[in-house]
Amino acid sequence: MGTSNQFYKTNDYRAMAYPYQITSLEQYKKDYQRSVDEPEEFWGAIAENFLWRKKWDKVLDWNFSEPKIEWFKGGKLNITENCIDRHLETMGDKPAIIWEPNNPEERTRVVTYSRLHKRVCQFAQVLINNGVKKGDRVCIYMGMIPELAYAVLGCARIGAIHSVIFGGFSAQSIADRLYDAQAEFIVTCDGAYRGAKDIPLKSIIDDALIGNRTIKKVIVYTRTRTPISMLKGRDVWWEDEMEHAESQVEKDNIVSFPATEMDAEDPLFILYTSGSTGKPKGVVHTIGGYMVWTNYTFINTFQYTPGDIHFCTADIGWITGHSYILYGPLSAGATSVMFEGIPTYPDAGRFWDIIDKYKVNILYTAPTAIRSLMSYGMDPLKYKDLSSLKTLGTVGEPINEEAWHWYDEHIGQKKCPIIDTWWQTETGGTLISNLAGVTPAKPSWATLPMPGVQPLLVDEHGEEVTEPDEHGMLKGNLCIKAPWPGILRTTYGDHERCRTNYFATYKDLYFTGDGALKDKDGNYRITGRVDDVLNVSGHRIGTAEVENAINMHAGVVESAVVGYQHDIKGQGIYAFVIHSNVHGDEELTRKDIFQTVSRVIGAIAKPDKIQFVSGLPKTRSGKIMRRILRKIAEGETKNVGDITTLLDPGVVEEIIKGKL
Ligand code: WT7
């Protein structure tokens, strides 16, 4: 049980038990085997622990060739009844969300399960009042404030499909996503606080809406009191709408708003993510399977115990925030810390202050954040207690051993198991991870698959790799053989794209895009993407997307983008650019290109380095040899590979000479 403190009362609610929590290595092995041998019985029994209005007709129906994946089809439920209503009787006063503002001087907000229920019902009513119906797409572009949680869950309550867009994306990116999702409604804020910056969210939305004819309503919450334009008939204030809805959902102090009955296979949300080609795709998750998967993985990987305070530092604009700030923890009746700011504001001790302030038991963050905080030395850790911590987790990219050990020693004080959770936007929740304190950790290894997950390493022809290398490891492209409940169902509006992206590279397998090693004990180590996708500070960015943005800049003839190893970000973005005329001022042109990329995608996609070149290494058929550019970007000067097949081998030397 957690320690009593000013923010929540312990032991005044009945402990919620998780009968499917794995508590020993033996049980893990048994459950894993059962999940593979009898998946329907296994997942059916777990799903019994949730609130269904009507039980499913069939646990699982699938083929990867279309793909068709259906979990708990015919089952009727509402995910918000599972995340909120079912906890009210026993845990109404328990904090669901503890909110920490960007500015540490500002007041904390504690949202109990009853308060969350009220606000979600109220906002669901606001959506109805504004014409939102089941199945409509609602785009959410807000900072990390409790209202973002109300907006997401309010959508889920009425069966509207939410699509959260991270606050770092540009107006153009938003416009593309709105169009792709055919969204008719937006929920946003005047602005968002992030560190020392204010992000003018509403004004970015206004830019995204120039010429837009499909958006009917924009609901605007006041956070920063930044002056904004409000268009009559289209833009409405959150506060006014909520006040109006309050009297509709609350009578005689009783809050009620009937949750819409949904099918397990109805879509819950769309989340856009980058791939190796073209524009980001809208990954679609459905209700039943996603709920079971996020809950199951939350309880088992972190070994969540009722009363624990869970702090996931991700933004809800990414899948990590969806699954492990909101749906996983809330469906488990947990207390989830939501942080508005950034790890280095007002100083690099901010995470540690938050941990001490709320007596956080579980910290889940990204290797890039750990490396960045490491770079500040030990000073920010002075006078920090951190003794409340029980479990640490990482996600988003491979963690290097140095960062792992620093995390273990200085944050976990050598007494907290560290879980390395490998997963993707498409997988809904964790697929490969140790279970905290239950299955062994191995620094920089994600280790073992979760029950229900059957990984397979294949070579480029799709043949299973069976011959260990000289270190006794199997090495190959990571695929998964069968569906788990949280797998994506489609990419919005384009099922064929889903098939070709994930299910067509290798027959009858889900292809992850990652490479991996497997040791003789069955542990997996993820080595990184094997496609043209970069992982910059845990954010996924397609090289093609960045190139398209750079190429939109006037004067740019052609560009090629590759990743290179970056001490803090994991990968940095290196752009080789042919520009027709840099006006004798390369530095200015570089800045112009940054601006263009920021406009087209967002500041997160800005290249770290731009090298102007007169040509790119191309084969005679005109294909850019990225392999060579990757080597050059990594600092290789001699062995850049075979250049004899190049149209103009001389260009390679020039590029090496100009390397930044
Ligand atoms: C890609 C997915 C999962 C939520 C955050 C990122 C990389 C993720 C790990 C890990 C090594 C990891 C993979 C994956 N990745 N977690 N523990 N170890 N690599 O979600 O944006 O969909 O990116 O992140 O390359 O394919 P995403």
Side-chain angles (χ1 to χ4, degrees):
M1 280 297 159
T3 342
S4 174
N5 70 31
Q6 74 193 95
F7 296 102
Y8 74 98
K9 293 178 262 165
T10 42
N11 303 339
D12 60 347
Y13 50 87
R14 191 151 36 95
M16 191 167 170
Y18 309 117
Y20 43 92
Q21 191 160 42
I22 299 167
T23 53
S24 67
L25 183 59
E26 294 64 48
Q27 193 196 341
Y28 162 76
K29 288 182 183 157
K30 239 177 68 206
D31 284 10
Y32 184 83
Q33 201 50 49
R34 176 125 197 275
S35 76
V36 171
D37 296 341
E38 305 181 316
E40 295 203 46
E41 290 77 359
F42 184 82
W43 291 110
I46 288 166
E48 295 279 358
N49 294 283
F50 294 79
L51 196 63
W52 299 86
R53 299 242 188 120
K54 173 184 166 283
K55 208 172 150 174
W56 50 89
D57 302 324
K58 182 152 174 46
V59 173
L60 172 63
D61 195 7
W62 70 286
N63 70 64
F64 273 172
S65 50
E66 291 177 57
K68 171 173 122 172
I69 302 154
E70 291 173 345
W71 283 94
F72 313 113
K73 178 96 174 162
K76 303 291 176 195
L77 78 167
N78 186 288
I79 198 168
T80 69
E81 289 185 335
N82 282 276
C83 288
I84 310 173
D85 302 49
R86 68 165 166 156
H87 308 316
L88 290 177
E89 200 181 313
T90 52
M91 306 192 280
D93 295 334
K94 183 186 176 181
I97 296 171
I98 296 177
W99 178 75
E100 168 73 6
N102 180 58
N103 175 355
E105 313 278 288
E106 196 183 323
R107 181 176 62 88
T108 292
R109 289 167 63 188
V110 178
V111 184
T112 62
Y113 273 96
S114 328
R115 178 50 58 114
L116 182 63
H117 176 247
K118 174 168 171 177
R119 292 291 181 243
V120 169
C121 288
Q122 241 176 303
F123 192 71
Q125 182 68 57
V126 166
L127 291 170
I128 296 286
N129 293 348
N130 280 279
V132 183
K133 297 180 305 297
K134 174 175 169 175
D136 287 350
R137 276 79 50 219
V138 179
C139 158
I140 302 177
Y141 188 64
M142 302 172 86
M144 286 283 286
I145 52 175
E147 285 69 21
L148 166 55
Y150 309 157
V152 165
L153 297 167
C155 287
R157 192 140 185 110
I158 65 164
I161 301 169
H162 56 76
S163 181
V164 184
I165 300 180
F166 175 62
F169 282 112
S170 69
Q172 181 62 56
S173 291
I174 297 168
D176 292 345
R177 286 159 171 74
L178 291 174
Y179 176 77
D180 188 84
Q182 295 293 299
E184 291 175 326
F185 303 92
I186 297 176
V187 188
T188 189
C189 300
D190 50 353
Y193 295 124
R194 267 178 76 77
K197 283 193 218 137
D198 296 359
I199 304 169
L201 297 178
K202 175 60 163 66
S203 140
I204 298 170
I205 287 289
D206 288 339
D207 287 345
L209 291 185
I210 293 171
N212 179 296
R213 290 166 180 283
T214 50
I215 293 295
K216 294 179 180 152
K217 280 282 159 67
V218 181
I219 302 172
V220 186
Y221 178 78
T222 311
R223 172 67 185 127
T224 55
R225 305 199 72 79
T226 313
I228 56 171
S229 121
M230 290 289 284
L231 213 66
K232 192 181 288 167
R234 186 193 72 184
D235 301 349
V236 297
W237 295 108
W238 169 292
E239 293 78 1
D240 297 345
E241 297 294 312
M242 285 292 265
E243 198 183 307
H244 178 63
E246 187 164 17
S247 57
Q248 292 173 276
V249 302
E250 189 175 40
K251 299 219 160 64
D252 305 323
N253 277 324
I254 295 173
V255 176
S256 81
F257 178 91
T260 301
E261 186 169 295
M262 305 296 289
D263 191 278
E265 278 300 336
D266 282 334
L268 175 62
F269 65 85
I270 305 172
L271 190 58
Y272 284 86
T273 190
S274 295
S276 49
T277 51
K279 295 226 187 258
K281 35 190 187 281
V283 167
V284 175
H285 284 288
T286 56
I287 299 166
Y290 177 81
M291 171 182 76
V292 169
W293 190 246
T294 52
N295 177 282
Y296 182 81
T297 52
F298 172 71
I299 285 166
N300 282 299
T301 60
F302 296 107
Q303 287 291 303
Y304 186 82
T305 310
D308 281 353
I309 308 280
H310 173 80
F311 178 22
C312 165
T313 69
D315 192 288
I316 291 175
W318 310 110
I319 190 73
T320 309
H322 283 60
S323 301
Y324 299 117
I325 297 178
L326 296 180
Y327 289 111
L330 297 177
S331 65
T335 298
S336 188
V337 174
M338 181 176 182
F339 175 39
E340 184 183 33
I342 58 170
T344 50
Y345 180 83
D347 59 52
R350 190 66 192 278
F351 279 178
W352 326 133
D353 287 335
I354 295 173
I355 290 164
D356 286 348
K357 184 169 174 186
Y358 303 117
K359 308 243 184 322
V360 166
N361 306 111
I362 305 171
L363 174 67
Y364 190 35
T365 194
T368 186
I370 297 169
R371 286 191 301 266
S372 146
L373 294 173
M374 268 169 77
S375 75
Y376 289 84
M378 294 309 295
D379 247 25
L381 276 156
K382 247 192 213 152
Y383 312 115
K384 310 289 157 126
D385 177 35
L386 305 184
S387 66
S388 59
L389 286 172
K390 298 201 305 195
T391 302
L392 303 177
T394 71
V395 60
E397 52 177 317
I399 180 162
N400 49 312
E401 292 206 27
E402 195 193 352
W404 195 97
H405 287 292
W406 187 86
Y407 201 31
D408 181 37
E409 235 164 84
H410 300 295
I411 307 309
Q413 304 173 339
K414 292 222 154 214
K415 62 174 178 46
C416 302
I418 299 179
I419 58 170
D420 178 348
T421 62
W422 173 81
W423 57 295
Q424 313 178 295
T425 303
E426 295 84 348
T427 70
T430 297
L431 293 201
I432 303 181
S433 172
N434 50 318
L435 312 180
V438 171
T439 66
K442 185 169 173 181
S444 86
W445 288 67
T447 76
L448 299 171
M450 294 300 293
V453 177
Q454 301 181 54
L456 187 72
L457 297 180
V458 301
D459 63 20
E460 61 272 33
H461 311 295
E463 297 298 328
E464 181 169 0
V465 177
T466 49
E467 279 306 305
D469 67 6
E470 66 272 27
H471 310 288
M473 307 275 181
L474 300 176
K475 185 171 196 275
N477 293 340
L478 180 60
C479 296
I480 317 283
K481 266 192 262 187
W484 59 97
I487 189 174
L488 86 162
R489 301 301 195 265
T490 189
T491 46
Y492 193 80
D494 194 348
H495 194 62
E496 178 57 12
R497 192 167 178 207
C498 174
R499 192 186 69 81
T500 52
N501 256 287
Y502 305 106
F503 300 94
T505 316
Y506 306 115
K507 192 171 174 334
D508 290 329
L509 295 173
Y510 167 80
F511 177 43
T512 65
D514 281 321
L517 297 173
K518 184 182 181 183
D519 72 8
K520 58 177 183 0
D521 301 321
N523 291 306
Y524 289 87
R525 175 189 196 149
I526 312 302
T527 49
R529 303 289 303 198
V530 294
D531 51 8
D532 288 320
V533 171
L534 305 180
N535 190 327
V536 180
S537 301
H539 298 157
R540 200 155 132 185
I541 299 168
T543 53
E545 233 184 299
V546 182
E547 287 167 7
N548 291 343
I550 294 174
N551 296 348
M552 283 174 76
H553 185 69
V556 170
V557 179
E558 197 174 12
S559 65
V561 165
V562 297
Y564 68 98
Q565 205 199 319
H566 188 287
D567 283 348
I568 289 179
K569 297 178 175 186
Q571 272 191 310
I573 304 179
Y574 198 121
F576 298 90
V577 177
I578 307 175
H579 194 288
S580 59
N581 171 15
V582 293
H583 301 293
D585 190 342
E586 286 199 354
E587 216 24 62
L588 184 58
T589 306
R590 240 178 227 118
K591 285 183 182 152
D592 290 347
I593 294 175
F594 287 154
Q595 289 275 331
T596 308
V597 174
S598 294
R599 290 251 172 228
V600 178
I601 305 175
I604 54 170
K606 270 200 301 204
D608 296 274
K609 295 182 180 178
I610 295 177
Q611 178 181 347
F612 293 107
V613 296
S614 66
L616 292 166
K618 284 188 180 173
T619 60
R620 289 196 181 85
S621 59
K623 195 171 161 280
I624 298 175
M625 297 290 278
R626 280 157 209 288
R627 187 163 43 76
I628 295 174
L629 293 174
R630 246 177 254 136
K631 288 240 165 103
I632 298 175
E634 291 290 5
E636 185 62 63
T637 53
K638 295 197 178 66
N639 303 315
V640 296
D642 182 15
I643 59 170
T644 54
T645 58
L646 294 184
L647 192 60
D648 173 14
V651 76
V652 172
E653 198 166 324
E654 179 216 299
I655 297 175
I656 292 173
K657 275 211 194 99
K659 157 99 187 7
L660 301 172

